[in-house]
Amino acid sequence: MTGVWALLGAVAVVAVIGVVLRVQNGRIRTGRVGTDLPEPVRALLDPATPVTLVQISTTFCAPCRHTRALLEDLAGRTDGLRHVELDVTDRPEVAAGLGVLRTPTTLALDASGTELLRVGGVPERDALLAALRPHLPGPIG
């Protein structure tokens, strides 16, 4: 009988973890203040672009492909917005330096490298656009 209770307890813990991850997926959070960007990320910034969306990915990440398509489309339709992708599969020190614990994670950085916001998981298009609106000069796509 103890084995049945242990199994039920394990199932309950896994269910709670699943619910927490689902709730946090795609949630927009304010950027981390005072974070020094690792050099591979700083090299991706364009001083002429007001906001760069840096997508942190890994080669084995299936949601990363969906995020890439969404962010590329969004950047293509929005003035002042650029999308770049950084694969950290072989560079865990970059992910650790940014405080990234899961992929995809999207960082919105201004031209100076200040983190404006971050999204863990696949972002919701409309929510991301609304959060970026104050930082962009032109019409939003």
Side-chain angles (χ1 to χ4, degrees), residues 1-17:
M1 191 67 175
T2 304
V4 172
W5 287 112
L7 178 62
L8 289 174
V11 168
V13 168
V14 169
V16 169
I17 291 171

Side-chain angles (χ1 to χ4, degrees), residues 13-29:
V13 168
V14 169
V16 169
I17 291 171
V19 168
V20 168
L21 289 176
R22 181 173 279 263
V23 167
Q24 290 183 347
N25 189 42
R27 187 181 69 154
I28 297 173
R29 296 176 298 175

Side-chain angles (χ1 to χ4, degrees), residues 77-138:
R77 296 172 182 252
T78 307
D79 292 335
L81 187 63
R82 180 171 170 253
H83 169 254
V84 294
E85 187 172 5
L86 180 63
D87 187 329
V88 295
T89 303
D90 297 324
R91 298 191 253 184
E93 71 283 355
V94 174
L98 293 170
V100 172
L101 301 175
R102 64 185 283 198
T103 58
T105 292
T106 303
L107 308 175
L109 305 172
D110 69 9
S112 68
T114 301
E115 186 177 322
L116 305 171
L117 58 91
R118 69 171 49 205
V119 181
V122 179
E124 295 180 18
R125 179 184 172 88
D126 293 337
L128 183 58
L129 280 173
L132 290 172
R133 185 167 279 118
H135 306 287
L136 295 170

